[in-house]
Amino acid sequence: VEEAVAKLGYRPNAFASALRRGSSRSIGLLIPSQRSGHLAELAEAIEQVFTARGYLVITGSTQHDRMREERLFQSLVDRRVDAIVLAPGVSLATSPAPGARDQLILALEAIGAGHRDVSSIQVDERSDAAFAVQHLQGHGHQVIGCVANSRHTPADGLRIAGWRDALEAVGARAGGELLAMGDTSAEGGYVSTQALLSPHGRPWAVRGESPSALLVTSDVQALGSLSACHELGLSVPDDIAIVSMGGTASASYTIPPLTTLRQDVRWIATRSADVLIDQIENEGKPRSITGVRGNLVIGSSCGCDAG
Amino acid sequence: VEEAVAKLGYRPNAFASALRRGSSRSIGLLIPSQRSGHLAELAEAIEQVFTARGYLVITGSTQHDRMREERLFQSLVDRRVDAIVLAPGVSLATSPAPGARDQLILALEAIGAGHRDVSSIQVDERSDAAFAVQHLQGHGHQVIGCVANSRHTPADGLRIAGWRDALEAVGARAGGELLAMGDTSAEGGYVSTQALLSPHGRPWAVRGESPSALLVTSDVQALGSLSACHELGLSVPDDIAIVSMGGTASASYTIPPLTTLRQDVRWIATRSADVLIDQIENEGKPRSITGVRGNLVIGSSCGCDAG
DNA sequence: TTGAAAGCGCTAACAA
DNA sequence: TTGTTAGCGCTTTCAA
């Protein structure tokens, strides 16, 4: 019989099995986009970890579009995924999803009211951002600008808050004229940086001294920032020091190499699997892991190499 | 009744439906990795196009690992996806997948013997690579090196062949000492470029003139190449001109901006959906679209800006 | 037009 | 231990 099975290439029908068992051994992952290196790395880590533990990962790109988020969420629920992971930037994490009911959810971002019984793993973006700014302050910078994301996700807000925390802690300026927001893309970073640093962009002569350093809240945007500085004839790190957030692999190969606050996506993915698979298989309680910190990968864009 | 349905948040069970109908309105996508910007853009385009046409896309990252490819392929077949798209670099495209049977397959790469009745959309990588080299020749370069991928996928081989074609057409050197292969990553590009251009890497004094231009077969690797040139004190494009292949969004924000051969991933994704959905819904015949060409996006790494 | 019934392929419970 | 059966929730067919 076994031979016949092998010979005919028989394969069990996963639907029938899932229909009967009520479980599909799959999880859904909702993520805004795979284009920013950091999210791509996160997605890949999650896929690898869950696959290794026997789950199929179904990924949906939401493009920051609330309609798409809801459609994809429904689609995943309809397919009876065992759980859904919401990556940072998916707004369903902060307001209740319709039809979520007793769907198992793990949010990788600060969760708002509306969802209960949701697990979460929360990076302390605020402290991370402040830490990055402190590093710049350690190099003697006083006036530090911020290139951030224009999406109003919790992470974006927290990074800006952290930037402000560090500045206010030493009594430095932290006004809106030092903050520029744009797309999470190289172009977005380029445009924002131009706006902040170009003599035509902001009348620094009137408003005070121009920034000598920047916190850029994503690595892709930092690419654009470097490009903008280069075009403006500003040398990094001598004229402008830069620290970015993300810690993607290619951040070490920019000119100059970026100093970047790295989030350990592998660790986050592993923890996600621990929490979620415990909930799925052992009916474990929802858990939240908060205060996850990144670590600073030193390049030379911050000025550490100077001298 | 309708009210009750809406009120209770009833949702049909996709499994039961799929089980009964024998179709799941979903397709699988196997892709080596999402880390190289070009493949991430391709994956996103495919997801968007198929989603818009009512199909759920289940993506699996194979990491260039044959075992993973086969496991994921099986997993997709078990879930009765209506079709499977094989991205470039998935070796199942070139040798038959076990248990493929009458699974609908679309390969985005030249397909080998073993599979029959497989649709495909094939970019003419060879001509594209040759065209990129010709552009460099048009700038007067004679000795042109090549930074390629060490994976032995058909696309990699074709790009190298195209590089050689263009060189041999004008009787230029095209020897192995001008070719360096590495990982499809910034680091891979950095290492390969160091090997090609560093005075310590290759004894040019003995073997002849050092290259004055490079064809780099992916944008991520080009990042590393630029970084390596910068470190070696070589100015791009004055000392070394560079053209890369891919055409990702961030290629315009490197220093200097890359001249890159762009593949229109959106077009490829749209065509994929046309072919595949026709096969799924109208029992259309497998089709192959060959000779798809990219177009050169002019930056300044090739020397076009030199004034 | 509306309603009842059969069955997709599997698993879990039960009977032998 | 091994074999049999009921039923997961839907869609399709057929009868009323």
Side-chain angles (χ1 to χ4, degrees), chain A residues 6-17:
Chain A
K7 207 160 210 167
L8 288 163
Y10 166 79
R11 293 255 78 206
N13 184 323
F15 290 138
S17 160

Side-chain angles (χ1 to χ4, degrees), chain A:
Chain A
V1 178
E2 299 270 337
E3 302 163 30
V5 167
K7 207 160 210 167
L8 288 163
Y10 166 79
R11 293 255 78 206
N13 184 323
F15 290 138
S17 160
L19 179 58
R20 184 64 238 254
R21 296 199 308 189
S23 152
S24 57
R25 289 197 79 73
S26 66
I27 67 142
L29 169 65
L30 254 35
I31 202 158
S33 156
Q34 306 259 57
R35 293 212 186 165
S36 100
H38 180 250
L39 286 179
E41 288 185 3
L42 178 63
E44 206 158 276
I46 286 177
E47 200 201 311
Q48 281 179 22
V49 170
F50 278 90
T51 302
R53 298 187 63 170
Y55 286 77
L56 182 73
V57 178
I58 303 177
T59 306
S61 299
T62 66
Q63 313 297 333
H64 282 107
D65 175 341
R66 186 61 190 250
M67 292 303 297
R68 284 182 61 85
E69 284 182 7
E70 288 182 3
R71 264 209 307 276
L72 283 166
F73 191 94
Q74 268 312 340
S75 189
L76 294 172
V77 173
D78 291 351
R79 272 159 218 268
R80 303 295 191 270
V81 292
D82 296 326
I84 295 181
V85 176
L86 302 174
V90 175
S91 55
L92 292 177
T94 52
S95 67
R101 297 171 46 85
D102 35 26
Q103 178 64 247
L104 251 46
I105 291 179
L106 171 80
L108 298 179
E109 188 164 50
I111 51 179
H115 276 318
R116 281 162 306 171
D117 298 337
V118 168
S119 290
S120 66
I121 296 181
Q122 297 172 37
V123 172
D124 188 350
E125 305 276 2
R126 185 167 185 161
S127 303
D128 275 356
F131 184 73
V133 172
Q134 281 155 17
H135 182 80
L136 288 167
Q137 289 170 330
H139 281 292
H141 296 281
Q142 305 280 333
V143 184
I144 300 175
C146 180
V147 171
N149 304 311
S150 52
R151 306 286 174 187
H152 300 293
T153 72
D156 298 334
L158 290 169
R159 288 171 189 176
I160 295 172
W163 165 71
R164 202 160 266 144
D165 287 347
L167 294 175
E168 288 173 350
V170 299
R173 285 165 55 208
E177 80 281 2
L178 289 172
L179 174 65
M181 299 195 276
D183 250 26
T184 313
S185 67
E187 188 185 3
Y190 177 86
V191 172
S192 304
T193 305
Q194 282 274 0
L196 274 181
L197 302 181
S198 153
H200 312 293
R202 312 225 168 179
W204 294 111
V206 180
R207 301 201 189 173
E209 210 180 333
S210 154
S212 65
L214 293 179
L215 171 71
V216 183
T217 64
S218 75
D219 287 342
V220 243
Q221 280 171 289
L223 243 193
S225 294
L226 291 174
S227 168
C229 289
H230 183 76
E231 250 182 46
L232 291 167
L234 298 168
S235 147
V236 177
D238 298 333
D239 300 322
I240 292 286
I242 290 180
V243 171
S244 66
M245 299 184 72
T248 50
S250 47
S252 310
Y253 294 92
T254 53
I255 301 172
L258 287 168
T259 291
T260 177
L261 212 133
R262 167 177 218 96
Q263 282 184 12
D264 189 342
V265 290
R266 195 83 203 177
W267 187 90
I268 292 172
T270 307
R271 257 46 267 278
S272 301
D274 292 344
V275 169
L276 227 35
I277 292 175
D278 174 60
Q279 279 191 258
I280 294 167
E281 294 176 2
N282 314 322
E283 303 192 338
K285 296 254 165 255
R287 274 188 281 166
S288 283
I289 300 177
T290 56
V292 177
R293 295 293 302 272
N295 63 296
L296 202 63
V297 178
I298 302 294
S300 48
S301 66
C302 60
C304 272
D305 264 10

Side-chain angles (χ1 to χ4, degrees), chain B residues 36-39 41 219-220 245-252 260-262:
Chain B
S36 100
H38 179 251
L39 285 179
E41 289 186 4
D219 287 344
V220 243
M245 299 185 72
T248 51
S250 46
S252 309
T260 178
L261 211 132
R262 169 180 216 93

Side-chain angles (χ1 to χ4, degrees), chain B residues 2 4 33 44 50 77 138 146 158 164 217 250 254 281:
Chain B
E2 299 270 335
S33 156
E44 207 157 275
F50 278 90
V77 173
C146 179
L158 290 169
R164 202 160 268 147
T217 64
S250 46
T254 54
E281 295 177 2

